[in-house]
Amino acid sequence: MHSKAVQPIAPIAKDEYNDNLIDRLFIKLFSRKMAQALGKGTKIDGYDGFVDLSKQIMQGRNAQEQQVLVAQVLQSLVPAPALWFIRTFFSPTRLVCVLNAWFAAKLFEWLVGPCEVTEAEIKLADGTVRSQPSAVHIKKCRYLVDSGCVGMCVNMCKVPTQTFFTEKFGIPLTMTPNFEDLSCEMVFGQIPLAPENDPDFNQPCLKQQCPTASFANDACPKLN
């Protein structure tokens, strides 16, 4: 009896983006900061160059080293006195979390694609639950689609961004990517899960995106 051949999975199509001047300035700024942290640049222009720099960060570095380097990039974008001021004088009240969600939805579209502010149920430190419009729903993450990599999503977006807002700004943030439809939820005011309790750290490769993906359900090797 002949074994049935495994049919290839069609990759998810990339959306077309018409980056405006502000978008291109953000891409150029972030790319320059990443190149400085790496000690080398890329010959690719625009958003594709930004993704290429991300892939270079992965090369020869484990997950923790990738996260540390991206954290350095994020901190280089905001002066230390500004971080101290926000962390010291702005506690994560409902209003502060709602405003952060609004600004994130406006400022990060160049990075993640179209997004919108939505309502979220926030579990507070005392165990109570508060409803507030401090979530940002990313409809289909541009970075995840273009990178095609679970490890890049977790190591260079989710973990550094959560850590940056939670520890440097003092405003808790939880990011929950959906690896089925490539959407994502950013919830300001929600304390992120510890890695050992976060299922994203056991997520298999994106079989329709990753050229080296295994059809086993093992975690993406780049998460280690």
Side-chain angles (χ1 to χ4, degrees):
M1 181 179 292
H2 296 289
S3 59
K4 188 176 181 180
V6 177
Q7 296 298 317
I9 300 175
I12 294 175
K14 295 182 181 181
D15 292 333
E16 291 291 331
Y17 291 93
N18 295 313
D19 295 312
N20 59 34
L21 177 61
I22 301 299
D23 296 332
R24 294 196 298 272
L25 287 174
F26 271 115
I27 292 169
K28 189 172 183 178
L29 172 63
F30 272 72
S31 296
R32 185 171 72 246
K33 293 291 186 180
M34 290 170 71
Q36 289 172 350
L38 267 170
K40 58 181 179 179
T42 177
K43 295 181 179 179
I44 305 173
D45 294 327
Y47 194 85
D48 289 339
F50 172 77
V51 174
D52 181 62
L53 287 166
S54 298
K55 292 178 178 178
Q56 290 187 47
I57 289 175
M58 294 195 78
Q59 295 170 4
R61 294 178 177 84
N62 62 29
Q64 185 176 22
E65 290 168 341
Q66 295 166 31
Q67 294 163 19
V68 168
L69 195 147
V70 176
Q72 293 172 355
V73 172
L74 292 175
Q75 290 180 49
S76 72
L77 291 164
V78 184
L83 289 174
W84 175 86
F85 182 84
I86 294 170
R87 187 170 60 249
T88 304
F89 295 104
F90 290 89
S91 59
T93 61
R94 183 182 190 276
L95 177 60
V96 168
C97 293
V98 170
L99 287 174
N100 269 270
W102 187 85
F103 280 112
K106 299 297 182 184
L107 294 177
F108 292 160
E109 278 205 1
W110 69 268
L111 174 61
V112 297
C115 47
E116 60 184 356
V117 175
T118 60
E119 198 79 15
E121 297 293 319
I122 307 297
K123 187 175 182 180
L124 304 177
D126 60 5
T128 59
V129 176
R130 182 172 70 197
S131 179
Q132 59 190 39
S134 65
V136 178
H137 176 68
I138 301 165
K139 298 177 182 180
K140 189 169 92 173
C141 180
R142 181 182 188 181
Y143 187 71
L144 182 54
V145 172
D146 280 31
S147 68
C149 180
V150 167
M152 284 178 65
C153 169
V154 174
N155 295 335
M156 286 185 281
C157 184
K158 174 186 166 81
V159 172
T161 306
Q162 287 184 163
T163 302
F164 184 65
F165 276 93
T166 302
E167 296 182 3
K168 301 302 178 182
F169 275 108
I171 300 167
L173 170 66
T174 293
M175 296 183 69
T176 308
N178 183 324
F179 294 106
E180 296 295 327
D181 63 9
L182 307 189
S183 66
C184 184
E185 206 78 21
M186 302 175 67
V187 181
F188 289 91
Q190 185 64 61
I191 298 172
L193 294 172
E196 61 269 21
N197 298 324
D198 191 333
D200 291 340
F201 287 85
N202 296 309
Q203 175 66 31
C205 294
L206 296 175
K207 297 178 178 61
Q208 72 273 45
Q209 296 293 94
C210 179
T212 60
S214 165
F215 280 83
N217 288 321
D218 299 329
C220 169
K222 295 174 183 176
L223 289 169
N224 299 319

